[in-house]
Amino acid sequence: MRIIVAVTLVIALAVVGGVLWVGAQTPAGGSAWNVLGFGSFRTVGAVMLNPGEYTPALDPLAEPASDVRECAGDGEFTDLHAGTRVAVLDRVGVVLASAELGPGALESETCMLFFELPTVPAGHGLYNIQIGERPPYQYTEVSMHRPKGIGFAPD
């Protein structure tokens, strides 16, 4: 009986040591649990709309009053605005995480609608990001750790 307990203890210590070793080898921003297929990670990105694809909105608090600060999709892009759902799906379409697009911000001549998904489950290999009801974009787990810029071609 003592041999079984001793062997079990040695195996448990080896597993814990392995997890700690993997954690030490993991690049910054990752964790041993993510490498082993557990835990979660954060992903961020932006929907980018070019001139003709968005409508600028006046910011009543800006000086002068006509200074444009916000924007939202226009024409065939009216579905892209603050509050549009952003979903991360697995390979078969199960929703793993969701959030909403933030308010559009004009940067140069591009309307940027930012999103952040703070807890995306790790270990799925491939992920799909779907904005509203538009077709999803596919990413690997490694690329999900980098900021994404998503643009749409007119239909």
Side-chain angles (χ1 to χ4, degrees):
M1 184 65 160
R2 287 184 179 172
I3 292 175
I4 293 173
V5 171
V7 169
T8 303
L9 183 60
V10 167
I11 291 172
L13 289 173
V15 169
V16 169
V19 167
L20 293 175
W21 181 84
V22 169
Q25 308 306 311
T26 303
S31 75
W33 292 114
N34 289 355
V35 171
L36 297 173
F38 302 102
S40 62
F41 57 88
R42 172 181 172 263
T43 194
V44 297
V47 171
M48 302 176 299
L49 299 173
N50 296 309
E53 299 174 344
Y54 65 86
T55 300
L58 299 180
D59 181 352
L61 302 177
E63 291 294 329
S66 64
D67 195 10
V68 175
R69 297 281 184 233
E70 295 183 359
C71 54
D74 191 25
E76 60 189 280
F77 301 100
T78 56
D79 60 319
L80 301 174
H81 53 79
T84 298
R85 182 176 159 219
V86 177
V88 175
L89 314 168
D90 68 8
R91 294 178 196 210
V92 296
V94 173
V95 176
L96 300 173
S98 66
E100 294 180 348
L101 290 176
L106 280 176
E107 292 190 8
S108 207
E109 291 189 9
T110 303
C111 178
M112 305 289 284
L113 297 138
F114 295 96
F115 62 87
E116 176 183 5
L117 295 137
T119 53
V120 178
H124 289 269
L126 291 176
Y127 295 82
N128 292 298
I129 295 181
Q130 185 174 25
I131 311 295
E133 297 301 317
R134 293 180 176 263
Y137 285 77
Q138 190 172 74
Y139 297 93
T140 64
E141 185 163 339
V142 171
S143 66
M144 290 286 287
H145 291 272
R146 295 188 295 267
K148 276 138 252 14
I150 299 174
F152 296 99
D155 291 336

